[in-house]
Amino acid sequence: MEIGRIPGSAIPLRYSLQHVSQCFVPPMASTSYTSYTNVVAHSNLSEFKSKNRMFILGMGFVSQSLAHKLRDQGWDVSGTCTSHMKKKKLEDKGFRVYLFDADELEPSALDVMKDYTHLLVSVPPVVGIGDLVLQHEDLLRSSLVTGNLQWLGYLSSTAPGVYGDFGGELVDEDYPTKPSSQLAKLRLASEAGWSNLARHLGFSPQVFRLGGIYGPGRSAIDTIIKQEPLSEGQKMRKNRKYTSRVHIEDICQALMAAIYTPSSKKIYNIVDDDPAPREVVFEYARKLVEKKWPGLIRQPTEELKSSIIETRNERGEKRVSNARMKQELGVRLLYPDYRSGLQSIIDQMETPFHGAHSHLIV
């Protein structure tokens, strides 16, 4: 779906990003997000609350984690979900939530959205349909153009095949995209559509291409413990030599840094330092589980029976660079590779079935 920019001069903002950031000291490129949060913690909280309001389209695994962190820092956070059950659970946690209907955006949600300063979009496109929210682009534009929005972020992906085949070469955000699937083409169309909307509203868009997301309750360790069949997405990644991934805590710190740090960069790869084969990651997770709970795994799964050599498939291979994320946003990864990430997850688990599983609703 290609969204064109409406001609004419940019609409002036009611507040600029610089106005919002007066409450904070923006981090330099060499400053870690961890030290930056200490600055935020000592800011004027009442002023902070009055100026920072995040609306999230699609409160899933990542965006819920971010929502909790923002709220802990005094933000007003609202969003959408797709079922009454999720809505009730999120409301029980103190969030104002609206049901999302792909056929018709709820007018009350639009009325609320225009009063928010920040908008995060976490709704993936659907094959055969496209971007579910940008179907209502005209309605969004007419509503948001008179609102307070100053920042717009879109959660995209490094997969499936957005960068295409580079023969294992290290690629960054400036490399030409060579989408290898219909879904990848739709991802890029969504990136363009939301970017055009942000520019129409008068500010730079922020696109985050996330690697494979994992964290407590959603990791190789959890899959092995549950001994469930592979999902379709897992099967698709089975034969890749390089699989970019990132821990949910590192996604959140990158998003927080981008929110607090005005930047001219429009796209960020959010991945860790080690794009290891999925087979190797699962073998490491299996060893962690066997060490902590001997005898728990009764038989190898189909995934763990396959040979590592069989994963050496160069088709569509690339390694994704995270240099811009580190340099521009000052992010220092908490979990730079799958080993540190998985170790942290299993260390938090008291039992294999009632550990530190995610409090999020997915």
Side-chain angles (χ1 to χ4, degrees):
M1 181 185 301
E2 182 176 354
I3 308 298
R5 181 176 181 179
I6 293 179
S9 59
I11 305 298
L13 295 176
R14 189 166 300 183
Y15 300 104
S16 68
L17 273 173
Q18 287 75 19
H19 179 75
V20 174
S21 63
Q22 286 175 357
C23 304
F24 317 107
V25 179
M28 302 299 290
S30 60
T31 305
S32 71
Y33 170 73
T34 302
S35 35
Y36 184 59
T37 55
N38 294 331
V39 176
V40 175
H42 292 87
S43 300
N44 185 313
L45 190 57
S46 62
E47 186 178 8
F48 183 61
K49 282 183 176 179
S50 68
K51 291 184 179 177
N52 293 277
R53 300 180 296 281
M54 173 68 78
F55 195 92
I56 300 173
L57 285 168
M59 294 190 71
F61 186 67
V62 170
S63 50
Q64 283 181 52
S65 182
L66 178 68
H68 283 277
K69 294 179 186 301
L70 288 174
R71 190 175 63 179
D72 289 345
Q73 293 191 4
W75 286 61
D76 178 5
V77 182
S78 299
T80 68
C81 66
T82 56
S83 74
H84 289 280
M85 182 181 296
K86 291 179 182 179
K87 183 175 185 290
K88 176 64 165 59
K89 289 181 178 180
L90 286 165
E91 287 175 340
D92 288 345
K93 295 181 182 297
F95 295 107
R96 187 185 305 116
V97 184
Y98 303 85
L99 286 176
F100 175 74
D101 185 342
D103 296 323
E104 184 177 358
L105 289 182
E106 188 174 329
S108 58
L110 284 173
D111 289 340
V112 170
M113 198 187 309
K114 65 187 297 182
D115 291 328
Y116 278 66
T117 57
H118 294 66
L119 173 65
L120 181 68
V121 183
S122 182
V123 179
V126 176
V127 174
I129 300 176
D131 193 295
L132 298 175
V133 186
L134 286 178
Q135 294 182 105
H136 311 283
E137 182 211 355
D138 290 341
L139 186 59
L140 278 170
R141 287 192 178 213
S142 62
S143 176
L144 297 179
V145 76
T146 58
N148 293 325
L149 197 63
Q150 304 149 19
W151 184 93
L152 190 155
Y154 176 72
L155 298 188
S156 186
S157 174
T158 61
V162 168
Y163 286 109
D165 183 4
F166 283 92
E169 186 177 345
L170 186 66
V171 302
D172 62 23
E173 295 86 347
D174 293 327
Y175 268 63
T177 53
K178 299 192 296 185
S180 57
S181 69
Q182 181 62 28
L183 186 54
K185 293 176 183 177
L186 291 174
R187 275 287 189 190
L188 291 174
S190 290
E191 288 183 10
W194 287 106
S195 295
N196 286 336
L197 177 59
R199 284 190 289 267
H200 173 70
L201 296 175
F203 49 88
S204 296
Q206 301 279 278
V207 173
F208 306 96
R209 291 178 179 162
L210 311 182
I213 304 161
Y214 75 100
R218 180 173 164 173
S219 71
I221 288 174
D222 296 276
T223 300
I224 288 171
I225 289 174
K226 295 172 185 176
Q227 301 187 55
E228 295 176 341
L230 299 181
S231 68
E232 289 304 313
Q234 289 169 333
K235 290 177 182 177
M236 289 174 61
R237 296 188 293 270
K238 180 178 177 181
N239 293 324
R240 291 182 188 166
K241 181 178 180 180
Y242 302 109
T243 297
S244 297
R245 59 183 55 80
V246 62
H247 194 286
I248 190 169
E249 290 295 322
D250 283 321
I251 296 173
C252 287
Q253 70 154 328
L255 292 176
M256 298 280 273
I259 290 168
Y260 291 137
T261 310
S263 171
S264 61
K265 301 296 184 183
K266 300 178 178 63
I267 301 175
Y268 291 96
N269 292 329
I270 311 298
V271 298
D272 68 17
D273 296 334
D274 187 6
R278 189 175 183 279
E279 177 91 12
V280 176
V281 174
F282 266 71
E283 183 60 32
Y284 184 78
R286 179 184 175 85
K287 289 178 180 178
L288 290 179
V289 173
E290 288 179 331
K291 181 179 179 181
K292 188 160 186 175
W293 298 294
L296 177 68
I297 305 172
R298 292 186 297 275
Q299 60 183 5
T301 64
E302 177 186 353
E303 169 69 23
L304 295 175
K305 287 180 182 178
S306 59
S307 168
I308 292 178
I309 297 176
E310 292 177 351
T311 69
R312 304 308 191 195
N313 184 347
E314 293 293 339
R315 184 180 58 189
E317 295 286 3
K318 80 280 182 187
R319 292 173 297 131
V320 180
S321 170
N322 59 17
R324 178 179 291 177
M325 173 188 74
K326 293 179 177 179
Q327 294 168 4
E328 299 290 334
L329 301 180
V331 171
R332 295 177 183 173
L333 291 169
L334 299 171
Y335 306 103
D337 54 45
Y338 67 89
R339 292 175 292 275
S340 56
L342 293 179
Q343 187 68 61
S344 172
I345 290 170
I346 201 166
D347 286 347
Q348 296 175 58
M349 299 175 72
E350 298 176 359
T351 77
F353 305 108
H354 299 86
H357 280 205
S358 174
H359 60 284
L360 309 179
I361 306 155
V362 296

